[in-house]
Amino acid sequence: MEGGKPSLPMVYQAVQALYHDPDPSGKERASLWLGELQRSMYAWEISDQLLQLKQDVESCYFAAQTMKMKIQTSFYELPPDTHNALRDSLLTHIQNLKDMSPIVITQLALAIADLALQMASWKGCVHTLIEKYSNDISSMPFLIEILTVLPEEVHSRSLRIGANRRTEIIEDLAFYSSTVVTLLTTCVEKTGNDEKMLIKVFRCLGSWFNLGILDSNFMASNQLLMVLFQVLQRDETSTNLHEASSDCVCSALYAIENVDTNMPLAMQLFQGVLTLETAYHMAVAREDLDKVLNYCRIFTELCETFLETTVRIPGQGMGDLRTLELLLICAGHPQYEVVEISFNFWYRLGEHLYKINDVALNSIFRPYIQRLLHCLARHCQLDPDHEGIPEETDDFGEFRIRVSDLVRDVIFLVGSMECFAQLYSTLKEGNPPWEVTEAVLFIMAAISKSVDPENNPTLTEVLQQVVLLPENVHIAVRYTSIELVGEMSEVVDRNPRFLDPVLNYLMKGLREKPLASAAAKAIHNICSVCRDHMAQHFQGLLEIARSLDSFALSTEAAVGLLKGTALVLARLPLEKIAECLSDLCAVQVLALKKVSECFWLLAEQSTNGKSADPTVWLDRLAVIFRHTNPIVENGQTHPCQKVIQEIWPVLSQTLNTHQADNRIVERCCRCLRFAVRCVGKGSASLLQPLVTQMVSVYQVYPHSCFLYLGSILVDEYGMEEGCRQGLLDMLQALCMPTFQLLEQPNGLRNHPDTVDDLFRLATRFVQRSPVTLLSSSIIVHIIQCAIAATSLDHRDANCSVMKFVRDLIHSGVANDHEEDFEVRKRLIGQAMEQHGQQLVTQLMHSCCFCLPAYTLPDVAEVLWEVMVFDRPTFCRWLENALKGLPKETSGGAVTVTHKQLTDFHKQVTSAEECKQVCWAIREFTRLFR
């Protein structure tokens, strides 16, 4: 921190400004200054002094939070001989501040817990704390708070205590767990019905259940379990206490997931939860939604825990199907939020039964699923006074989407055809109100795709009736019926006689603002599935495409319509495609010309943002190029080639005009990418001008999408002898500004997209023309950049880097029958000699300290390739890398033993396939997490 240690009044003033300054910029300044203080060495001493002063809640909260943060992230700053003093000081503070705000106590409790987990010399901390404070009733609240957060922090992401220390702690906590439960029981006996204390006790018990270390036999006969269910059965239990008790029961149920090894406790919990049905009905009668939701959570957790038992022995013992009855009672609650809690269970039940695939077993569960579907259809009904179309983005809209997903997952138990026919008959035979009709159509749309469309009279009848719906029915019914028609495109494909009436019906919808986007989506579906039948309607589609903006379409729906049109276009005779493609693109090209010509004028005057923004037109062109993929025989000229050559000058002009705007340049590159992919080698005439323009703009505005576009060009032309040097020149020209950008402070972290796209480009070179790249002078810089970037914690960027390194090394052993093999092998050998040790060391450091677990398979693949290339040298490199790893934590705990190091080295170097390396790394890196 600049200017040395700040004075206490200065810190106090900054804290006051953070909480009470009416000027937001003052708050912002205070926040930045305090953040800097927290990162400095002075934070330890200043926090300690603020806690001694006890001036007010704000300053104590800041100090306690700072202490916690320092212990979590900067514990290494303290010499080991100060650890005891820090512990004693924190315990003194929490005792002196016990009557202050609970938020301060929680932060101090976290600081003490995090210290205990890291401080190897503090043995039996639970025993110490209980012995010191359990006899003083006034210390009980903070003692229980420490005992609550301690198990929670064992798996905290903020602490890298390593697997060895974590195992030691868990064994220690398990040893004292019965002592903790006895303390909590005594506490309840002493304080009686003190609600605050009960909440603390249940939270603490839940925390120990979550760690999975409580002795289930001891717990089964424990008084606390009885108290827990008594509290949940009582009608007068307050909302907060009810929530804490429910959380605790859910934690207990989760902890006994392996029912067979926890039989006595499982039995107690099973019977205890079944007694709560009456309490649930009482909560419903009192319209207490919070309690209703809590009971539903408990019932769902019960079903999740006993799922395998229920499927194994349905209706017997703890496979008692009353558990499902409880969930169906909840599904009958009028509020949809209640049934939604149980969705994951129904999904898992469906998945289990699907895997077992036993008809007799399915028939046991079928009636329950039928009742569930009945409830879901009712919950999907809109309010009778709802106006307009169903909303898809509000909470209820999202609920309906989740219903739709769940119905698809469990429909096989009921039979999709049977269910579909049943739903249809309720519409056909009754005359239900509009909201019932709409909900039934909605469920039918969800399952229509899983009904076999072959010779199915019910499906064709439904289609026939839907397209005859009068225009005066409620607009929501028309909206959902349009969605249903779109989902039934397979039926239309099998019964082409319906194509005309269906298209007429959808065209009506397209002309009405509220229905337009749904109709466009349905037309897109029909085009995708009925491509051959739709060819005769291409002119009609073209007319729609020409006047796209006269319909009230969302951006997504408009693009979808063009996608459908392009899919049909690709099915036309080859000689017609060029002309029709030209027509389809004309509107967008004209608009782009206008935007570029009138750019400045429109920027000043435009009220219609769409016309001034070229991205709309670029996205539309991109979707046309992407999906116009006709079948072209060898030797034939691609029908799209001429059109793309004609359009290139307009795209080039757009790129120049908007070169400073990353969003527009990105869309331009995307459009060019699909154009190049569309015609493949047919885009050769664009190669020179495109590369020249890309390189020239990139020098000034290094948009990473140019690197991506470069990778597409290398992919298409990298095998062509005559293009290789030009592409290499492009790579070198793009690399210079890229390295400048990435070499800035935090450059890799701040520009992950650039890293991702750079290594995508380099990988394409390795795949298409490895010798060209390996013989160039740029390769050394690319490898060095890759080694530095292996520690980057960004999913896409890290994946690209690893793929590049893996493919690069692999090119030294792959395709050994090809004539350039010896050259490749020699060049990779030289590169490994130069960078191998650094690469292996950096990879081991990255996977132990920087990278999340999901990246480890990629790291394993790179190490595997290094080993395949030269196993003896790799053994030496790995040994050196392991020697450099720290063996102890700053708290004095052993991170990794000599035996663990040698075992890991042996596992990796003797591995016979890559997945063995991956398993070894997974286990080994846990020692450092």
Side-chain angles (χ1 to χ4, degrees):
M1 200 166 185
E2 284 177 30
K5 180 183 160 190
S7 68
L8 277 182
M10 266 176 83
V11 178
Y12 185 69
Q13 199 181 340
V15 172
Q16 288 304 305
L18 180 67
Y19 287 102
H20 304 296
D21 193 329
D23 174 19
S25 63
K27 277 185 189 295
E28 181 68 19
R29 278 197 303 278
S31 173
L32 289 170
W33 188 82
L34 289 168
E36 202 181 323
L37 168 63
Q38 285 182 319
R39 287 187 292 276
S40 74
M41 276 294 287
Y42 306 121
W44 295 102
E45 191 184 341
I46 284 170
S47 302
D48 191 51
Q49 289 170 341
L50 284 173
L51 289 166
Q52 274 170 15
L53 282 175
K54 295 206 293 194
Q55 204 149 356
D56 55 24
V57 172
E58 284 100 341
S59 61
C60 286
Y61 177 73
F62 168 75
Q65 189 198 33
T66 303
M67 269 298 188
K68 177 200 74 176
M69 211 174 89
K70 294 298 283 183
I71 289 170
Q72 279 181 350
T73 60
S74 312
F75 191 52
Y76 60 86
E77 291 177 350
L78 295 179
D81 57 5
T82 61
H83 294 174
N84 282 340
L86 174 64
R87 176 193 62 195
D88 298 344
S89 147
L90 286 172
L91 291 173
T92 305
H93 289 319
I94 201 166
Q95 189 156 25
N96 292 341
L97 294 163
K98 64 187 172 194
D99 299 323
M100 211 180 225
S101 164
I103 60 170
V104 176
I105 298 301
T106 300
Q107 293 300 311
L108 281 171
L110 282 164
I112 292 164
D114 291 340
L115 178 66
L117 296 178
Q118 293 183 86
M119 189 173 152
S121 59
W122 187 0
K123 305 283 183 199
C125 65
V126 171
H127 182 65
T128 320
L129 291 166
I130 289 177
E131 213 168 46
K132 188 167 184 176
Y133 298 114
S134 62
N135 294 325
D136 172 17
I137 198 76
S138 69
S139 300
M140 220 44 158
F142 76 75
L143 171 61
I144 292 180
E145 187 65 29
I146 298 172
L147 293 175
T148 303
V149 297
L150 188 62
E152 290 171 351
E153 289 295 284
V154 170
H155 292 291
S156 162
R157 291 268 173 98
S158 314
L159 297 175
R160 299 189 76 100
I161 54 177
N164 287 335
R165 174 67 180 152
R166 200 168 277 115
T167 305
E168 186 187 335
I169 290 160
I170 290 172
E171 284 170 2
D172 193 47
L173 293 181
F175 184 75
Y176 291 111
S177 61
S178 303
T179 315
V180 172
V181 176
T182 307
L183 170 80
L184 295 177
T185 313
T186 313
C187 187
V188 171
E189 286 164 1
K190 279 186 185 169
T191 54
N193 285 340
D194 176 352
E195 185 184 306
K196 280 186 176 168
M197 191 51 95
L198 270 178
I199 290 174
K200 282 186 175 303
V201 166
F202 291 152
R203 267 194 59 220
C204 185
L205 182 61
S207 172
W208 285 73
F209 267 127
N210 284 335
L211 195 59
I213 53 170
L214 292 181
D215 180 316
S216 65
N217 291 339
F218 176 71
M219 283 312 301
S221 56
N222 190 273
Q223 188 68 24
L224 271 184
L225 217 54
M226 221 167 69
V227 177
L228 198 54
F229 283 111
Q230 281 168 357
V231 167
L232 285 167
Q233 285 158 357
R234 273 208 305 268
D235 183 33
E236 60 276 13
T237 299
S238 73
T239 305
N240 289 346
L241 178 56
H242 198 276
E243 185 170 2
S245 332
S246 302
D247 288 345
C248 187
V249 171
C250 287
S251 296
L253 284 165
Y254 186 77
I256 57 150
E257 194 102 64
N258 192 343
V259 175
D260 297 341
T261 55
N262 296 292
M263 246 344 175
L265 180 57
M267 200 66 195
Q268 290 296 326
L269 289 169
F270 188 84
Q271 290 167 344
V273 175
L274 288 180
T275 64
L276 300 179
E277 188 184 335
T278 315
Y280 168 82
H281 289 301
M282 187 57 99
V284 173
R286 294 203 184 279
E287 295 187 3
D288 190 335
L289 186 60
D290 288 333
K291 285 188 180 176
V292 167
L293 290 167
N294 286 335
Y295 288 125
C296 188
R297 279 196 299 131
I298 293 172
F299 298 156
T300 303
E301 201 62 63
L302 176 77
C303 288
E304 295 252 16
T305 295
F306 292 96
L307 171 62
E308 291 187 13
T309 314
T310 311
V311 171
R312 195 173 68 241
I313 45 166
Q316 299 167 42
M318 285 190 278
D320 192 331
L321 295 173
R322 277 185 298 167
T323 54
L324 298 190
E325 288 290 348
L326 288 175
L327 281 198
L328 288 172
I329 291 170
C330 292
H333 191 279
Q335 298 280 0
Y336 70 83
E337 293 90 344
V338 181
V339 69
E340 195 168 16
I341 290 172
S342 64
F343 277 14
N344 190 55
F345 165 74
W346 294 112
Y347 166 73
R348 281 186 59 205
L349 174 67
E351 201 177 32
H352 255 69
L353 293 172
Y354 188 77
K355 280 180 186 161
I356 295 169
N357 192 14
D358 178 332
V359 178
L361 190 61
N362 289 357
S363 66
I364 295 173
F365 291 96
R366 182 173 298 124
Y368 294 93
I369 300 295
Q370 280 169 330
R371 285 162 60 193
L372 173 70
L373 292 176
H374 187 76
C375 291
L376 293 176
R378 201 180 62 252
H379 279 299
C380 284
Q381 289 173 20
L382 299 162
D383 287 332
D385 56 358
H386 177 92
E387 290 177 5
I389 62 171
E391 280 293 328
E392 289 189 355
T393 49
D394 61 2
D395 288 347
F396 185 55
E398 284 177 7
F399 166 75
R400 287 186 16 137
I401 290 168
R402 289 193 64 198
V403 167
S404 184
D405 292 342
L406 178 61
V407 168
R408 284 190 193 103
D409 287 329
V410 298
I411 195 65
F412 73 93
L413 286 164
V414 180
S416 39
M417 185 56 232
E418 191 185 323
C419 183
F420 193 84
Q422 216 172 0
L423 288 165
Y424 177 49
S425 69
T426 61
L427 298 184
K428 195 170 147 186
E429 287 152 22
N431 186 13
W434 76 264
E435 68 276 12
V436 175
T437 303
E438 191 279 334
V440 168
L441 290 171
F442 177 76
I443 301 288
M444 285 169 76
I447 59 179
S448 61
K449 277 210 172 113
S450 50
V451 180
D452 181 8
E454 279 300 334
N455 304 325
N456 196 321
T458 308
L459 285 178
T460 50
E461 190 183 333
V462 168
L463 202 51
Q464 234 167 342
Q465 291 305 314
V466 167
V467 298
L468 293 175
L469 272 176
E471 286 183 34
N472 62 355
V473 298
H474 194 291
I475 193 141
V477 174
R478 289 181 62 202
Y479 180 89
T480 304
S481 70
I482 285 172
E483 289 197 318
L484 173 60
V485 171
E487 290 294 315
M488 293 177 74
S489 45
E490 296 273 355
V491 184
V492 180
D493 192 43
R494 303 286 204 298
N495 302 277
R497 66 182 188 281
F498 288 122
L499 190 56
D500 284 359
V502 162
L503 289 176
N504 290 336
Y505 181 66
L506 296 178
M507 277 308 296
K508 275 185 207 160
L510 196 60
R511 292 190 191 97
E512 283 183 54
K513 189 176 178 180
L515 305 174
S517 290
K521 193 177 164 193
I523 292 173
H524 163 208
N525 279 355
I526 302 273
C527 288
S528 305
V529 175
C530 318
R531 288 168 76 172
D532 293 322
H533 298 308
M534 281 299 292
Q536 57 178 326
H537 292 279
F538 183 75
Q539 279 312 119
L541 290 171
L542 194 54
E543 286 308 314
I544 297 174
R546 280 190 182 131
S547 50
L548 214 46
D549 292 312
S550 65
F551 305 107
L553 296 175
S554 67
T555 311
E556 189 189 351
V559 166
L561 248 179
L562 286 173
K563 175 185 170 182
T565 309
L567 288 169
V568 175
L569 168 64
R571 284 292 207 268
L572 296 182
L574 274 190
E575 65 277 6
K576 281 193 175 175
I577 290 180
E579 184 192 341
C580 293
L581 178 64
S582 189
D583 285 348
L584 189 55
C585 296
V587 179
Q588 342 299 332
V589 174
L590 201 63
L592 277 178
K593 273 186 185 164
K594 266 191 194 161
V595 172
S596 285
E597 285 162 8
C598 319
F599 178 59
W600 303 113
L601 182 68
L602 279 171
E604 289 161 24
Q605 296 177 0
S606 175
T607 49
N608 175 6
K610 187 187 269 187
S611 57
D613 181 358
T615 58
V616 175
W617 316 107
L618 290 167
D619 286 353
R620 291 181 184 180
L621 276 177
V623 82
I624 293 169
F625 294 145
R626 184 177 190 173
H627 297 285
T628 306
N629 41 19
I631 298 155
V632 182
E633 304 294 333
N634 271 348
Q636 287 179 310
T637 304
H638 198 291
C640 306
Q641 190 173 318
K642 180 168 164 285
V643 183
I644 287 171
Q645 280 167 351
E646 287 166 5
I647 291 175
W648 158 247
V650 182
L651 292 175
S652 173
Q653 188 185 1
T654 306
L655 193 53
N656 260 340
T657 308
H658 301 277
Q659 56 181 287
D661 187 328
N662 182 56
R663 188 177 65 96
I664 296 175
V665 171
E666 207 163 67
R667 304 299 241 290
C668 230
C669 286
R670 187 168 170 272
C671 186
L672 285 161
R673 160 192 162 195
F674 289 124
V676 170
R677 287 290 197 209
C678 174
V679 292
K681 304 277 188 295
S683 58
S685 61
L686 304 186
L687 197 55
Q688 186 65 50
L690 175 55
V691 168
T692 307
Q693 188 171 3
M694 279 165 57
V695 167
S696 112
V697 175
Y698 193 78
Q699 306 302 316
V700 191
Y701 300 107
H703 304 298
S704 75
C705 52
F706 285 125
L707 299 169
Y708 187 91
L709 186 54
S711 73
I712 302 293
L713 296 176
V714 172
D715 194 36
E716 289 291 343
Y717 293 100
M719 311 276 278
E720 303 286 308
E721 195 57 57
C723 300
R724 285 175 172 170
Q725 189 53 47
L727 290 170
L728 182 66
D729 294 343
M730 171 192 78
L731 173 69
Q732 288 177 316
L734 293 173
C735 275
M736 289 311 142
T738 305
F739 292 149
Q740 282 170 4
L741 188 70
L742 299 180
E743 281 162 7
Q744 292 170 0
N746 284 329
L748 294 165
R749 185 172 295 281
N750 294 342
H751 303 282
D753 292 349
T754 302
V755 176
D756 181 14
D757 292 332
L758 170 69
F759 287 102
R760 207 182 278 264
L761 169 58
T763 304
R764 289 292 192 206
F765 244 110
V766 171
Q767 292 165 345
R768 293 286 173 256
S769 183
V771 175
T772 311
L773 180 64
L774 286 163
S775 317
S776 69
S777 56
I778 197 80
I779 186 64
V780 175
H781 304 287
I782 294 177
I783 291 174
Q784 282 169 344
C785 183
I787 291 173
T790 53
S791 62
L792 186 58
D793 173 10
H794 181 282
R795 190 184 284 264
D796 294 339
N798 193 280
C799 184
S800 278
V801 172
M802 296 298 179
K803 183 168 172 47
F804 163 71
V805 181
R806 183 189 70 209
D807 285 9
L808 183 77
I809 300 164
H810 186 67
S811 70
V813 292
N815 302 326
D816 52 5
H817 58 280
E818 289 176 6
E819 56 189 52
D820 65 351
F821 173 67
E822 288 304 327
V823 183
R824 273 187 281 126
K825 188 177 171 184
R826 177 175 53 78
L827 291 169
I828 291 294
Q830 288 170 0
M832 291 311 292
E833 209 174 304
Q834 204 174 343
H835 307 283
Q837 179 67 70
Q838 190 193 353
L839 172 66
V840 174
T841 303
Q842 178 72 8
L843 281 172
M844 284 314 302
H845 183 271
S846 295
C847 61
C848 289
F849 301 108
C850 312
L851 298 178
Y854 65 76
T855 60
L856 297 181
D858 294 344
V859 176
E861 285 186 7
V862 175
L863 292 173
W864 172 254
E865 288 299 342
V866 178
M867 186 159 71
V868 168
F869 186 76
D870 182 350
R871 199 176 281 250
T873 313
F874 170 74
C875 293
R876 198 173 65 246
W877 287 338
L878 182 61
E879 187 181 341
N880 293 338
L882 294 176
K883 279 178 184 164
L885 292 172
K887 312 295 182 282
E888 260 193 14
T889 66
S890 41
V894 173
T895 309
V896 57
T897 63
H898 180 70
K899 183 178 185 312
Q900 284 169 326
L901 285 170
T902 51
D903 285 353
F904 172 68
H905 187 276
K906 189 178 173 187
Q907 283 167 347
V908 174
T909 53
S910 62
E912 288 180 10
E913 49 184 344
C914 183
K915 64 179 176 191
Q916 293 171 309
V917 177
C918 188
W919 290 333
I921 290 181
R922 255 187 220 289
E923 285 307 307
F924 184 71
T925 53
R926 286 196 181 115
L927 300 171
F928 297 87
R929 288 180 190 275

